[in-house]
């Protein structure tokens, strides 16, 4: 077992705004871990730091024992740490298959494609397409392969987004609000798909999510962020009862629900 990801004392400020302030957390290999916290708590910023989109002012981030805090996003995803984006967009006028293949072309190393002979390139493309089809099956979108991505519902777009992320062969996925804008029936389906992918590909999941019921159902461990820092962590039940957490976050959410 052990930890697959270690974030230690990571800080990042933007023109005086402290997006992350000594954020520290460890993620167990093979777990589903969630980060919750109010808007502006620094959750997406932490994902940006982990995935290499931005560099920390200080602190360290290790993935599988490798220091990644100064690496570029492509190099981090090549190590097997892949993220999805809050409110991820699909290209509506391309097919579902084209959307997913575009993601494959973004992959590192694919600059190589240009120097390949047409026949070798074709073979790579066929392999990518085969893999895409297999992943679309695993997320339950196979019947939409040739449909315009624009016809997909919010939840189906999240499924496409998952398949797209899986093209990079991750061992760990960072999902930023995977259930946002998804109707409740599809949330269940999405959870099922996450569990299937996890089992099939031995994945570790780190989620940022506001849907507390789902978070508490699926997480092995929950971290709570407020004002850029981790203020609590533990098993879902203990988080739900934690006074500090209730004050910072859950109180208002419980009242509103
Ligand atoms: N690129 C940036 N430039 C300036 N400020 C930023 C930048 N990115 C984030 N911030 C600021 O950092 C703070 C944390 O934002 P962040 O997006 O990480 O919060 P969040 O926890 O993901 O919130 P939400 O739940 O609303 O998605 C906010 O005050 C935000 O305005
Ligand atoms: Mg966010």
């Amino acid at each position: 077992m052990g930890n697959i990801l270690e974030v230690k004392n990571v800080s990042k400020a933007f023109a005086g705004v402290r997006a992350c302030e000594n954020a520290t957390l460890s993620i167990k290999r093979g777990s589903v871990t969630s980060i919750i916290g109010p808007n502006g708590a620094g959750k997406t910023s932490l994902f940006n730091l982990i995935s290499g989109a931005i560099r920390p002012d200080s602190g360290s981030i290790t993935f599988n024992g490798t220091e990644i805090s100064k690496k570029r996003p492509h190099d981090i995803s090549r190590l097997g740490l892949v993220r999805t984006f809050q409110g991820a967009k699909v290209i509506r006028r391309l097919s579902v298959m084209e959307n997913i293949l575009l993601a494959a072309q973004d992959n590192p190393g694919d600059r190589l494609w240009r120097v390949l002979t047409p026949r070798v390139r074709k073979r790579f493309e066929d392999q990518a397409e085969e893999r895409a089809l297999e992943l679309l099956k695993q997320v339950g979108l196979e019947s939409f392969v040739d449909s315009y991505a624009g016809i997909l519902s919010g939840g189906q777009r999240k499924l496409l987004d998952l398949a797209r992320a899986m093209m990079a062969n991750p061992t760990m996925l960072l999902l930023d609000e995977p259930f946002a804008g998804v109707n409740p029936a599809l949330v269940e389906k999405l959870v099922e798909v996450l569990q299937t992918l996890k089992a099939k590909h031995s994945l570790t999941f780190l989620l940022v999510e506001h849907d507390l019921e789902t978070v508490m159902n699926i997480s092995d461990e929950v971290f709570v962020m407020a004002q850029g820092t981790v203020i609590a962590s533990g098993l879902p039940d203990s988080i739900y009862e934690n006074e500090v957490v209730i004050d910072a976050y859950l109180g208002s959410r419980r009242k509103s629900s």
Side-chain angles (χ1 to χ4, degrees):
M1 272 301 264
N3 296 330
I4 188 168
L5 182 76
E6 303 257 16
V7 176
K8 280 196 195 135
N9 294 319
V10 164
S11 299
K12 177 73 185 179
F14 298 103
V17 177
R18 290 178 177 164
C20 282
E21 179 79 359
N22 281 322
T24 296
L25 50 95
S26 305
I27 307 302
K28 295 191 181 68
R29 189 181 304 278
S31 68
V32 176
T33 303
S34 298
I35 302 174
I36 62 172
N39 296 117
K43 306 180 299 296
T44 296
S45 298
L46 185 63
F47 269 19
N48 288 339
L49 289 161
I50 295 171
S51 63
I54 55 178
R55 284 192 182 178
D57 299 330
S58 57
S60 87
I61 305 171
T62 53
F63 176 66
N64 271 330
T66 302
E67 175 67 43
I68 56 167
S69 61
K70 293 185 178 65
K71 289 191 185 294
R72 288 172 311 177
H74 273 173
D75 296 321
I76 292 171
S77 91
R78 204 188 309 202
L79 290 172
L81 178 53
V82 173
R83 59 108 41 112
T84 64
F85 290 86
Q86 185 171 2
K89 300 273 184 297
V90 299
I91 303 176
R92 302 169 59 92
R93 302 195 62 166
L94 291 182
S95 74
V96 166
M97 178 57 89
E98 285 162 341
N99 264 277
I100 193 170
L101 288 178
L102 263 183
Q105 291 218 338
D106 279 345
N107 283 346
D110 287 350
R111 266 160 280 163
L112 209 101
W113 284 49
R114 285 190 220 125
V115 300
L116 298 176
T117 64
R119 217 171 47 173
V120 176
R121 186 195 299 207
K122 174 86 171 62
R123 204 168 68 221
F124 273 104
E125 283 168 352
D126 287 348
Q127 278 170 4
E129 196 163 330
E130 217 171 279
R131 180 164 167 71
L133 192 59
E134 175 56 31
L135 287 169
L136 287 171
K137 274 188 196 148
Q138 287 174 24
V139 302
L141 286 180
E142 68 269 34
S143 56
F144 294 94
V145 170
D146 297 318
S147 310
Y148 284 121
I151 70 156
L152 299 180
S153 71
Q156 289 168 333
R157 283 179 203 193
K158 300 281 190 182
L159 290 167
L160 173 56
D161 206 27
L162 262 179
R164 202 155 53 174
M166 290 300 298
M167 282 299 276
N169 248 321
T171 49
M172 177 166 183
L173 274 180
L174 309 178
L175 307 179
D176 199 350
E177 303 201 12
F179 309 121
V182 178
N183 82 51
L186 249 169
V187 168
E188 261 175 59
K189 159 85 183 158
L190 211 52
V191 166
E192 253 172 56
V193 168
L194 288 183
Q195 276 155 355
T196 308
L197 290 176
K198 181 174 185 285
K200 253 199 163 68
H201 303 271
S202 314
L203 290 170
T204 303
F205 281 106
L206 180 60
L207 280 63
V208 160
E209 186 47 59
H210 287 293
D211 175 348
L212 291 181
E213 200 184 322
T214 307
V215 162
M216 298 303 169
N217 275 336
I218 67 171
S219 306
D220 300 304
E221 192 166 11
V222 178
F223 287 86
V224 186
M225 282 187 78
Q227 295 175 336
T229 195
V230 176
I231 58 164
S233 66
L235 299 176
D237 285 349
S238 75
I239 290 297
Y240 214 66
E241 302 303 327
N242 184 317
E243 290 297 326
V244 178
V245 179
I246 292 167
D247 287 347
Y249 183 49
L250 291 175
S252 58
R253 294 223 161 226
R254 277 176 172 173
K255 271 176 228 144
S256 66
S257 63

